[in-house]
Amino acid sequence: EVQLVESGGGLVQAGGSLRLSCAASGFTFDAYAIGWFRQAPGRVREGVSCISSSDGSTNYAGSGRFTISSDNAKNTVYLQMNSLKPEDTAVYYCAATAFPLCGSMAIDYDYWGQGTQVTVSS
């Protein structure tokens, strides 16, 4: 059974940093593309970043403030978020797809975690 468990969210002041973690299990970790998405109230789910062994890492949001990385030994993907802004406030989700290339759309992914709340205060 594929499982994705996010952690690391919380409340932070504008300008601060957070590192989100996505612990994966139930599949061959380095054969999948793993993405981070976020969804703010009333808005569509937005692609943030993605990493795969086939095409490396790609950022879709954050304007260079976010960095995705993976630890294959721990089956964990991280999202380092720096210089956070109030508009980064959202529930952040980890997602996985057996297709080995990254995609920016939620429909590109088959498996989802439960999400972790990130709140940035001004």
Side-chain angles (χ1 to χ4, degrees):
E1 178 187 7
V2 173
Q3 285 193 325
L4 301 167
V5 180
E6 303 96 333
S7 61
L11 173 64
V12 63
Q13 289 188 333
S17 298
L18 282 175
R19 188 178 79 156
L20 306 183
S21 298
C22 172
S25 62
F27 61 95
T28 304
F29 181 75
D30 59 1
Y32 279 51
I34 308 290
W36 283 100
F37 285 76
R38 64 185 180 185
Q39 189 166 20
R43 303 195 66 175
V44 299
R45 194 165 294 190
E46 172 190 31
V48 175
S49 192
C50 177
I51 191 167
S52 77
S53 60
S54 297
D55 56 3
S57 62
T58 304
N59 286 326
Y60 306 115
S63 302
R65 297 177 292 119
F66 298 167
T67 303
I68 191 170
S69 62
S70 67
D71 185 336
N72 289 357
K74 295 182 178 180
N75 284 7
T76 300
V77 172
Y78 304 97
L79 183 69
Q80 178 68 43
M81 305 188 293
N82 299 326
S83 302
L84 284 162
K85 304 176 181 180
E87 51 263 44
D88 295 318
T89 295
V91 178
Y92 282 70
Y93 297 91
C94 174
T97 175
F99 190 68
L101 299 178
C102 284
S104 64
M105 306 293 290
I107 198 172
D108 295 329
Y109 295 82
D110 306 303
Y111 305 100
W112 293 84
Q114 81 289 350
T116 185
Q117 177 70 47
V118 171
T119 303
V120 184
S121 63
S122 57

